[in-house]
């Protein structure tokens, strides 16, 4: 116990210089502060001026100086008025002519520049509100859309920084109440009987003619002054006020390469991936990461990236809080022990992979020596983050509000990321996914925005907290990190023949701090809490039935030849598989993004429609011809595609209903209609993951990348009697599916459902042969 509370010895590969020369320490910190302030100031100016730039200001100033000094006869009517401005601003009469020209040019240049900036920004915002392009075939764009695209590029600035486009993004509109009611009834029709439908129809009409308009007006008012009328409420009431444990319920995971294994050494793999994650963080901090654009023209909101690193969801008794910090360390977990590892050297540079590798190896060796000196409870501190949120908040307040435990917890909370070394050796991504979703109950700090897990055989993946941001931004990080690892290996090997990190830079690493042990005071009552939390976490984990599979019969290549959207095709297959599994139709959730709008997050696509129901019924009816089944598939897929695009364009149903419900509660109304429609369970929750978000990413259909495509990630089931399905369509040859359910439900079975899904996909393929 005493040894567990001592700091570890100095790292062997570095000598620490801090403290030896006070003036040098001061100069070093002052320089770091200047560099940070420089980037902040520069980015503030760039973002404030975008889509214009200081070059535009310089050009305007130079133009006016050229006109006034040149005094051209043809421009005399203009220049004479410019000279009159000297009298307007009351320049001294004895001022030299060239100096007057300079001052007047400055005034006119600033005025013209400000006018240009406002005009470009407002015109660009108006152009970005246009959504007609999304509903057209990209290969058959009309002249009007092509002109719109050219104007959008013309009024957009060049080389935008990460957040430059934010000021020009339109705000999410509030859908018309009548439109939402119409779409809601349409979505309920395939789920209910005729009598139930008539009841819903009457309730919707009463709401539309009664309380609804009042709630609608308040939502509209909020949309005028807030950046996004629903995002702050969604984060607060859906995520932060949720009291369920984070693992299996809220957090999600992402695995790495499907089959490629660059090294079997976990410390070496962690060094490379953590190094590239820190490089990605630097791009975010300095706003050098290029903002994402759809079709290279339409920017999307990048606000979620700000809290990707150094972020923790702190539990509260009634509501959690997201806290974002500035930090220079990661927390490393190995064999139940926690370590604080500074990942920047004394010059403020990221530790090179070889340095990180040595640090990680030292931690692995030290934890192997001292793990047995700690009790089971001391090695299970992270199990507290698996607790129900109110219980965790009370435990945190009681046992971690002061003393050593408070200091140790602050180190974890403020860490850039949580790095966990697991002793598991999963060979297949199905095994990796099962661990990444919930761990073993004590190896993942579920409150952290990102936990990077490294297995004993060199495999890796992440577990992510959901409230700060959605899966696409983590997918962007994973894609960037894995791409950097692979591309570097094609030019100069990242690992040597023994799987250790190579030195691939000429930079000489400065001194770095040694890792230090994070220790905890575990009293008898806290030990009881810890062991109970661990036991409950293991029980919940055992209840999750997760199956991840590689469907390699065909991919998006074949689907596109069918003239069907790959996403719509998969959604129809999911509906068919579920009907085969349960012999009924259920409310189905598909996540869609709304990041075309400022601070947008997600919207729901209700995938079950009357059209998809008709298609499914035709597929299980041998009396229906193949031609009719094909027709119904195209009708259902086209309907789904329009619904998905509507959701992206702020024309969805569920966020509007949610906003109306929040307003009604705030005004003290108990609206039974909203409670009724919002309480219906999402028996099947689905999500497609983006594969390629980086423009410069290579073609995943190339033979070199076939074993390196990412299977994506997944999540736990939303309903206790339903399925959670995540899928990735990475290239023309295959699809990956992540199917989760609960073993305690006798009606569900993930392996059975995956088999029926494979069968449904083959049945649908046979329609085109």
């Amino acid at each position: 116990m005493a040894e567990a509370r001592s700091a570890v010895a100095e790292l062997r590969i570095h000598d620490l210089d801090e403290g030896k020369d006070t003036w040098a320490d001061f100069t070093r910190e002052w320089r770091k502060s200047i560099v940070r302030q420089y980037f902040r100031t520069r980015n503030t100016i760039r973002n404030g001026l975008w889509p214009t730039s200081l070059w535009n200001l310089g050009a305007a100033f130079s133009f006016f100086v050229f006109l006034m000094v040149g005094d051209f006869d043809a421009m005399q009517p203009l220049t004479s008025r410019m000279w009159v401005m000297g009298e307007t601003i009351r320049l001294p009469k004895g001022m030299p002519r060239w100096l007057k020209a300079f001052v007047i040019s400055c005034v006119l240049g600033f005025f013209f520049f400000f006018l240009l900036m406002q005009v470009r920004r407002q015109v660009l915002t108006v152009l970005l509100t246009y959504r007609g392009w999304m509903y057209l075939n990209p290969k058959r764009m009309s002249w009007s859309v092509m002109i719109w695209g050219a104007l959008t590029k013309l009024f957009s600035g060049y080389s935008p920084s990460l957040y430059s486009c934010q000021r020009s993004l339109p705000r999410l509109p509030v859908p018309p109440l009548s439109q939402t009611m119409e779409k809601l009834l349409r979505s309920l029709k395939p789920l209910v009987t005729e009598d139930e439908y008539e009841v819903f129809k009457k309730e919707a009409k009463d709401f539309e003619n009664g309380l609804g308009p009042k709630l609608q007006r308040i939502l509209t008012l909020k949309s005028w002054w807030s950046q996004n009328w629903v995002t702050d409420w969604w984060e607060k009431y859906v995520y932060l006020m949720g009291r369920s444990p984070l693992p299996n319920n809220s957090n999600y995971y992402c695995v790495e390469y499907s089959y490629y294994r660059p090294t079997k050494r976990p410390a070496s793999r962690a060094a490379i991936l953590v190094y590239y994650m820190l490089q990605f963080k630097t791009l975010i901090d300095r706003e050098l990461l290029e903002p994402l654009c759809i079709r290279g023209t339409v920017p999307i909101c990048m606000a979620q990236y700000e809290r990707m690193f150094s972020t923790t969801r702190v539990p509260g008794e009634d509501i959690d809080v997201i806290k974002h910090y500035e930090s220079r360390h990661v927390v490393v977990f190995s064999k139940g022990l926690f370590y604080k590892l500074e990942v920047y050297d004394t010059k403020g540079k990221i530790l090179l992979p070889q340095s990180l590798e040595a640090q990680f190896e030292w931690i692995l060796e030290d934890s192997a020596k001292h793990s047995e000196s700690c009790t089971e409870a001391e090695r299970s501190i992270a199990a507290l983050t698996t607790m129900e949120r109110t219980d965790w908040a009370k435990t945190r307040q009681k046992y971690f509000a002061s003393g050593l435990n408070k200091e140790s917890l602050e180190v974890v909370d403020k860490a850039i990321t949580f790095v966990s070394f697991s002793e598991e050796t999963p060979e297949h991504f199905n095994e990796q996914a099962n661990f990444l979703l919930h761990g073993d109950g004590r190896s993942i700090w579920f409150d952290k925005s990102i936990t990077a897990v490294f297995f004993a055989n060199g495999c890796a993946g992440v577990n992510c907290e959901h409230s700060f941001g959605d899966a696409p931004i983590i997918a962007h990080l994973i894609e960037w990190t894995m791409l950097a690892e692979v591309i570097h290996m094609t030019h100069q090997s990242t690992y040597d023949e023994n799987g250790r990190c190579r030195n691939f830079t000429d930079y000489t690493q400065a001194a770095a701090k040694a890792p230090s042990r994070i220790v905890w005071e575990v009293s008898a009552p806290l030990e009881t809490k810890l062991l109970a939390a661990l036991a409950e976490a293991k029980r919940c984990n055992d209840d999750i039935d997760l199956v991840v599979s590689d469907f390699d019969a065909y991919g998006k290549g074949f689907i596109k030849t069918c003239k069907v959207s790959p996403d719509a095709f998969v959604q129809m297959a999911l509906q068919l598989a579920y009907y085969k599994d349960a012999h009924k139709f259920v409310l189905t959730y598909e996540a869609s993004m709304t990041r075309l709008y400022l601070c947008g997050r997600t919207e729901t696509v209700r995938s079950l429609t009357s059209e998809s129901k008709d298609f499914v019924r035709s597929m299980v009816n041998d009396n229906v011809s193949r031609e009719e089944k094909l027709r119904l598939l195209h009708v259902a897929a086209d309907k789904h595609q329009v619904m998905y695009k509507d959701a992206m364009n702020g024309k969805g149903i569920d966020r509007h209903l949610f906003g109306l419900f929040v307003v009604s509660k705030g005004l003290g109304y108990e609206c039974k209609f909203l409670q009724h429609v919002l309480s219906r369970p999402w028996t099947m929750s689905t999500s497609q993951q983006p594969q390629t978000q980086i423009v410069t990413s290579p073609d995943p259909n190339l033979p070199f990348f076939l074993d390196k495509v990412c299977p994506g990630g997944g999540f736990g089931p939303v309903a206790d009697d339903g399925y959670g399905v995540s899928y990735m369509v990475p290239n023309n040859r295959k699809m990956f599916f992540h199917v989760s359910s609960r073993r305690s439900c006798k009606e569900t079975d993930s392996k059975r459902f995956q088999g029926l899904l494979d069968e449904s996909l083959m049945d649908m393929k046979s329609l085109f042969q």
Side-chain angles (χ1 to χ4, degrees), residues 16 157 319 343 442 615 696 742:
L16 191 61
I319 181 172
V343 288
R442 62 182 178 189
F615 165 69
T696 56
R742 297 194 182 275

Side-chain angles (χ1 to χ4, degrees), residues 231-527:
T231 293
D232 56 341
W233 286 348
W234 188 255
E235 180 179 294
K236 177 180 180 180
Y237 295 113
V238 172
Y239 290 119
L240 299 182
M241 289 194 74
R243 300 292 85 193
S244 299
L246 297 185
N248 304 320
N249 295 301
S250 179
N251 284 29
Y252 56 92
Y253 67 88
C254 184
V255 297
E256 49 151 356
Y257 310 115
S258 49
Y259 298 102
Y260 178 63
R261 301 290 178 262
T263 180
K264 293 185 178 181
R265 300 180 65 90
S268 304
R269 191 73 197 288
I272 290 294
L273 295 188
V274 169
Y275 174 77
Y276 282 126
M277 288 174 71
L278 293 171
Q279 294 276 19
F280 194 83
K281 179 182 182 298
T282 299
L283 294 179
I284 294 175
D285 292 343
R286 297 183 177 181
E287 299 185 22
L288 297 176
L289 186 68
E290 185 177 352
L292 301 179
C293 292
I294 298 178
R295 300 183 188 176
T297 302
V298 183
I300 64 176
C301 181
M302 307 296 285
Q304 295 179 42
Y305 287 73
E306 185 176 0
R307 300 185 295 182
M308 180 181 289
F309 296 101
S310 305
T311 298
T312 296
R313 175 172 170 174
V314 178
E317 293 190 24
D318 297 315
I319 181 172
D320 294 353
V321 177
I322 299 177
K323 290 191 176 181
H324 179 67
Y325 307 91
E326 288 190 6
S327 52
R328 301 170 58 82
H329 71 276
V330 300
V331 167
V332 183
F333 176 90
S334 176
K335 296 184 182 298
L337 302 185
F338 294 75
Y339 297 82
K340 177 183 178 181
L341 173 60
E342 296 282 347
V343 288
Y344 295 87
D345 63 20
T346 54
K347 293 184 178 180
K349 300 291 185 180
I350 299 171
L351 293 189
L352 295 174
Q354 283 188 318
S355 298
L356 287 170
E357 179 185 48
Q359 305 249 30
F360 287 139
E361 287 180 340
W362 192 93
I363 289 173
L364 291 174
E365 293 173 6
D366 184 77
S367 61
K369 293 177 183 177
H370 303 300
S371 177
E372 294 302 320
S373 65
C374 299
T375 65
E376 178 80 0
E378 290 174 320
R379 295 195 299 268
S380 306
I381 295 292
L384 295 172
T385 65
T386 70
M387 297 172 66
E388 190 268 346
R389 301 305 288 175
T390 300
D391 289 345
W392 172 209
K394 292 178 179 178
T395 303
R396 181 178 171 122
Q397 180 61 35
K398 186 174 182 179
Y399 299 105
F400 295 85
S402 62
L404 178 63
N405 283 352
K406 179 182 179 181
E407 295 174 3
S408 297
L409 189 58
E410 285 179 349
V411 173
V412 177
D413 284 346
K414 294 180 179 180
I416 294 172
T417 189
F418 191 86
V419 178
S420 178
F421 285 99
S422 170
E423 298 178 68
E424 302 290 327
T425 57
E427 293 299 330
H428 191 266
F429 47 74
N430 181 66
E431 302 169 47
Q432 296 173 35
N434 274 273
F435 189 91
L436 292 170
L437 176 61
H438 48 60
D440 56 8
R442 62 182 178 189
S443 56
I444 296 175
W445 198 273
F446 291 99
D447 291 352
K448 288 301 296 180
S449 55
I450 300 174
T451 294
V453 179
F454 297 94
F455 297 99
N457 58 358
C459 294
V462 296
N463 179 282
C464 303
E465 200 279 313
H466 207 163
S467 63
F468 82 95
D470 301 311
I473 69 165
I474 298 299
H476 188 185
L477 167 67
I478 298 299
E479 181 183 352
W480 193 94
T481 303
M482 300 299 175
L483 185 62
E485 182 181 39
V486 171
I487 295 299
H488 190 84
M489 284 189 294
T490 62
H491 294 86
Q492 180 181 2
S493 181
T494 307
Y495 307 96
D496 63 20
E497 60 278 5
N498 296 317
R500 300 179 64 86
C501 297
R502 286 186 185 274
N503 184 15
F504 51 79
T505 178
D506 296 331
Y507 171 72
T508 302
Q509 188 80 70
K513 287 184 178 180
S516 58
R517 181 90 58 80
I518 301 173
V519 295
W520 312 89
E521 291 278 4
V522 180
S523 62
L526 178 57
E527 181 175 11

Side-chain angles (χ1 to χ4, degrees), residues 715-743:
F715 48 87
V718 174
D720 290 343
D721 60 347
Y723 292 102
V725 184
S726 179
Y727 53 96
M728 170 81 80
V729 189
N731 55 26
N732 294 334
R733 306 187 183 196
K734 62 175 59 184
M735 293 180 275
F736 294 100
F737 292 94
H738 305 242
V739 180
S740 63
S741 62
R742 297 194 182 275
R743 290 190 171 93

